[in-house]
Structure formats: C-alpha cells, structure tokens
C-alpha cells in the first residue's frame, strides 16, 4: 500500500503533527510506501531515515510568516499547495494509494480539496479538531469563555466574535470557511472521517453530510509501562497551556477553596496573571515528554478542568497510563477515559466548588493510591500503543480502498493518477 499523508507541518509542533509523523514512521516500519506532503518545514530527520518520501513546500505558518497579509492570503487559499499536491497525486498508482489528510487549516488551506477531488483517489480525513465544520475550529467562544452551540456559518455564527484575538480575524476565518464549503467542498469530499472521541463525533456529525462514514481511531500514547507509584506527598497537577479554555483559572480557584497548593506544568497567556493572583501556586514551566511523565507518575492526581470540547486529550491518557487518577471536567472529551469514582472523578464544568470537593476527597492517600492503581490496570488492559493505532488504521484503510475499488469497477473507469513510481 502507498499511503500519502497530508499535514500542515513536517515536524512535530503539537499533537496533530505528532500523530501524523508517528503514523508515517509506523507505517513505513510495517513495509508500506509512505509519502508525507506538508507545507511547513524543516522535515523531521527521522522521516528520510525511514525511507519516507517527504514533499515539503517550506512555506510559513502564522508563527513564522514575515507578512501577515501574505499569510492571510495563503491561509484562505494556498494556490501553491493545491498545484504541488495535484502534481504529486498525478504520479501515484491509484490501485494501491490512499490519501490520508491530518491537517490543512494552519498552512495548507482548503485549496488542497481541488487537488484531492481531481485525483479521484481513496480519501480519509482525521478530525483532530473541528475546522472541517466550524470556522474557528473549536465550537468555542474565546471572549465569552464558553462552548458555542450555534450552527456554523449561520447568522448567529457570523455576527458573534468567537475568535481568540479579534473579530476581523474571525471574518478571515469565515472567508476561508466559505472557500472550504463552496469551492473545495471538503465536507462532501471526505466521505470517510476518523474521529478520536465520542464527543467529537456527536458535535461534528450534525454538520456533515448524512452519508459520512465515521471511523474511531484513537491517537497513540507513548508511555512506557511501570507500576503505579505511592501517592503520599504527591501534587495535584495541571499539565498544558495555562489559559482560560483549558480551565487553569478554575483549578487555581478550586485549589484555594480546598486548601491545597496547585502545581502548573506548562505555560501560556494566563501564567503570569495566575501566579500573581494565586501566589500559593507552583509554576514549573514547560518540561520535555520524559519529565512530564515523571511528574505525572509522582502526582496525586492530574487535574484536567478544560471548559471546551477537546478532541482526545493525550495528557489524560498519559496520566492513567502512569498510574495516576484524573479529575476531569464533564464538558470535555477527557471524561470518556475516566471511570467516575473508580479511576478519578468528573466534575461540573466551570464549577470551582465542585472541583474543590474532589480535591479534598483525593487528599486521602489511600483513595489516591487505590484510584491510581485502578487507572493503571484499566489503561494497560487495552493500551493505546502505536501498534494498536496502526492495526486500527489498517482496518480502516482496507475498508476505504475496497469501497473505492468497487466504485471504479462500477463506473468502468480509473482515477486521473498514473502508475508512475515517485522520484
């Protein structure tokens, strides 16, 4: 099989790119031919070493663009990405190729839909966020700090400033979404969509064609197995971006009400403000993956108070794999990983008193130990390893390619691509 993976970044800069690159390496390790098509470099050196063909356009994203105006044009409709992807897909053998799109909203733009449609190749899209159906990608109103239940692109949507920065930036995203829906027609193009949580599928399904076929493929979690550690003296730990939508202020306030010292591992726009308002809080800054996992193993509990949907919050699964209980907001997808009262607690989203009550409960060492062991045992009974991820992907790829082959046979024609080996 030849798998063409499409992503904004050719290096790991977050969860989306990590899943795409880990999948690329895993698929290559299983003997498949893999191409990674991306806008932003430099490419991860492991890709070339694994024999993966990398097509990187070396374009900017918002963090590296010298001209914000030029990048705005690129984000709305990236002509170069469409042209280069069309060239790449025109060279593959349609009988053995599947195109799996992981990301487009941060650099590639919806323009890739034109190339994908023209290719006639079997397609799959992984919904790491909600850009396929929501202009701001999150069903979340940043200024109001609440989940948005408006219909995307409705009058209510268009007149609401939900952007984290400004209303003009929201309007730019609206223009991009118009191109996504009316020119690229991505929701119709991607008949097969991978989701990474039940909540994500429930939120997106009403805004996609009725014919959409959903596949559940959990993202892989990279955590080595080890026994759960004793929790006496362990911290209540927050890991991630210190921001409103992640619920950082709620944790800080709940910890004060519970009389415990909150520990924040990460950074973000609200870090300085929270440090000033809650001097009892410990701010540890960013750590690498190994150090984060060491902190999770030693923690009494991970507190995950996110007030928006999330997709599949990896930190929650990492904590469970490390043998640490999780206290999680009931509004986010992280709750799906936690057995309420067994491997942690759910609390009412945004309710500092409800969170404080669970913090006080888990101050009990015996309860924290018992929940930590249960978290470890339940996670490792069916761990989200890269091999499990690849096994599930193989099943989905096979189903998508069999459907495409049947459709080609029925119409008696082949897609535009040619059986030419890549250079």
């Amino acid at each position: 099989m030849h798998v063409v993976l499409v992503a904004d970044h050719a290096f790991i800069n977050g969860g989306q790119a990590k899943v795409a690159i880990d999948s690329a390496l895993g698929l290559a390790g299983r003997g498949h031919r893999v191409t990674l098509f991306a806008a932003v470099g430099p490419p991860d050196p492991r890709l070339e070493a694994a024999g993966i063909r990398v097509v990187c356009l070396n374009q900017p994203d918002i963090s590296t663009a010298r001209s914000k105006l030029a990048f705005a044009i690129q984000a709305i409709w990236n002509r170069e990405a469409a042209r280069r992807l069309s060239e790449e897909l025109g060279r593959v053998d349609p009988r053995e190729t599947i195109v799996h799109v992981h990301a487009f909203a941060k650099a590639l733009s919806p323009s890739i839909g034109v190339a994908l449609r023209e290719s006639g190749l079997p397609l799959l899209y992984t919904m790491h966020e909600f850009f396929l159906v929501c202009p701001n990608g999150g069903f979340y109103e940043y200024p109001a700090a609440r989940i948005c239940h408006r219909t995307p692109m409705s009058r209510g949507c268009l007149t609401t400033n939900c952007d984290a920065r400004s209303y003009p930036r929201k309007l730019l995203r609206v223009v991009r979404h118009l191109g996504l829906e009316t020119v690229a027609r991505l929701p119709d193009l991607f008949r097969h969509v991978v989701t990474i949580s039940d909540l994500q599928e429930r939120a997106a399904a009403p805004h996609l064609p009725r014919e959409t076929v959903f596949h559940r493929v959990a993202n892989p979690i990279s955590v080595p197995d080890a026994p759960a550690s004793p929790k006496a003296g362990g911290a209540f730990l927050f890991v991630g971006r210190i921001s409103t939508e992640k619920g950082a202020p709620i944790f800080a306030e709940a910890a004060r009400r519970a009389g415990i010292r909150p520990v924040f591992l990460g950074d973000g726009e609200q870090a300085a403000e929270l440090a000033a308002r809650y001097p009892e809080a410990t701010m540890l800054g960013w750590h690498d993956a190994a150090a984060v996992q060491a902190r999770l193993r030693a923690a009494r509990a991970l507190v995950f108070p996110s007030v928006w949907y999330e997709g599949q919050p990896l930190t929650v699964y990492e904590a469970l794999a490390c043998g640490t209980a999780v206290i999680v907001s009931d509004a986010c997808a992280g709750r799906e990983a936690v057995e309420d009262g067994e491997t942690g607690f759910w609390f009412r989203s945004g309710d500092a008193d409800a969170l404080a009550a669970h913090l006080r409960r888990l101050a009990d060492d015996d309860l924290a130990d018992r929940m930590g062991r249960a978290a470890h045992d339940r996670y490792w009974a069916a761990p989200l390893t890269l091999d499990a991820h690849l096994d599930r992907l193989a099943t989905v790829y096979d189903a998508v390619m069999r459907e495409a082959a049947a459709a080609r046979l029925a119409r008696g024609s082949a897609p535009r691509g040619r059986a030419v080996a890549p250079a």
Side-chain angles (χ1 to χ4, degrees):
M1 185 184 298
H2 180 192
V3 183
V4 179
L5 298 172
V6 179
D8 284 316
H9 295 82
F11 61 94
I12 295 176
N13 69 326
Q16 291 181 5
K18 186 178 191 306
V19 173
I21 289 173
D22 285 352
S23 295
L25 295 169
L27 290 165
R30 290 189 171 194
H32 298 294
R33 189 149 55 94
V34 180
T35 297
L36 178 68
F37 183 93
V40 188
D44 189 312
R46 295 176 298 166
L47 297 168
E48 183 179 358
I52 295 169
R53 174 173 165 79
V54 179
V55 181
C56 182
L57 307 183
N58 292 312
Q59 294 179 318
D61 59 15
I62 188 62
S63 66
T64 58
R66 294 182 179 179
S67 167
K68 301 305 181 187
L69 176 59
F71 180 74
I73 295 171
Q74 173 187 321
I76 291 171
W77 199 259
N78 189 336
R79 293 180 182 275
E80 177 67 6
R83 183 183 70 80
R84 292 286 299 277
L85 183 58
S86 181
E87 290 177 355
E88 190 64 28
L89 298 184
R91 307 172 63 183
V92 304
D93 185 342
R95 297 166 299 181
E96 64 177 29
T97 303
I98 186 169
V99 183
H100 185 173
V101 178
H102 279 272
F104 65 86
K106 295 182 179 178
L108 288 172
S109 88
S111 70
I112 63 170
V114 174
L116 294 172
R117 189 179 302 277
E118 289 178 350
S119 75
L121 294 165
L123 304 176
L124 182 67
Y125 176 75
T126 289
M127 188 176 288
H128 292 285
E129 16 64 2
F130 295 101
F131 278 116
L132 189 62
V133 291
C134 171
N136 88 345
F139 286 115
Y140 185 75
E141 290 182 62
Y142 284 89
R146 64 191 178 201
I147 291 170
C148 177
H149 297 284
R150 295 175 181 84
T151 300
M153 302 299 284
S154 65
R155 181 176 180 180
C157 168
L158 298 178
T159 57
T160 299
N161 177 20
C162 59
D163 194 81
R165 298 182 184 178
S166 67
Y167 187 60
R169 188 167 178 261
K170 158 70 181 279
L171 293 179
L172 184 149
R173 292 185 168 198
V174 165
V175 172
R176 178 179 65 188
H177 204 80
L178 280 171
L180 180 154
E181 288 188 331
T182 63
V183 183
R185 307 199 316 274
L186 293 187
D188 297 317
L189 180 63
F190 293 119
R191 169 174 160 78
H192 292 274
V193 173
V194 167
T195 56
I196 51 180
S197 65
D198 290 337
L199 185 153
Q200 186 186 57
E201 183 173 331
R202 290 197 305 272
H207 310 294
L208 289 170
R210 203 174 284 179
E211 299 77 21
T212 302
V213 179
F214 292 99
H215 306 271
R216 183 61 43 78
V217 183
N219 288 335
I221 309 296
S222 302
V223 177
D225 189 9
S229 303
K231 298 307 177 185
F236 288 98
L237 185 65
F238 175 102
V239 177
R241 188 171 69 254
I242 301 176
S243 62
T244 300
E245 68 273 13
K246 290 292 188 178
I250 296 167
F251 174 41
E253 180 59 28
R256 175 172 286 180
R257 297 181 190 184
I260 64 104
R261 181 184 297 276
V263 178
F264 290 87
L265 191 63
D267 204 350
E269 58 269 25
Q270 288 201 307
E273 178 185 345
L274 288 183
R277 191 190 310 168
Y278 300 94
E280 67 273 21
T282 300
M283 300 288 185
L284 298 176
W286 290 114
H287 285 41
D288 63 23
V292 168
Q293 291 175 15
R295 292 279 185 181
L296 285 172
R297 291 187 191 282
R300 178 176 296 273
L302 171 73
V303 181
F304 198 85
S306 186
V307 297
W308 65 348
Y309 283 145
E310 300 281 349
Q312 179 200 343
L314 300 186
T315 307
V316 170
Y317 290 87
E318 289 176 349
L320 299 172
C322 288
T324 298
V326 178
I327 306 175
V328 61
S329 155
D330 66 0
C332 80
R335 63 178 276 182
E336 296 174 19
V338 178
E339 293 288 333
D340 189 29
E342 296 291 330
T343 62
F345 293 113
W346 299 352
F347 74 96
R348 189 165 55 253
S349 180
D351 189 333
D353 284 331
L355 175 53
H358 290 317
L359 296 176
R360 285 189 287 266
R361 287 188 183 94
L362 273 177
D364 182 299
D365 290 341
D366 289 339
L367 179 60
D369 281 339
R370 185 164 66 252
M371 283 192 161
R373 289 194 298 272
H376 176 274
D377 292 347
R378 291 197 182 201
Y379 175 84
W380 288 102
L384 302 183
T385 60
L386 179 59
D387 274 338
H389 174 80
L390 295 172
D391 288 345
R392 177 62 182 145
L393 269 187
T395 300
V396 175
Y397 286 172
D398 182 63
V400 174
M401 292 191 73
R402 280 190 287 105
E403 180 183 274
R408 287 200 303 270
L409 185 64
R411 66 176 179 258
S413 61
R416 174 175 70 83
R418 304 185 305 278
V420 179

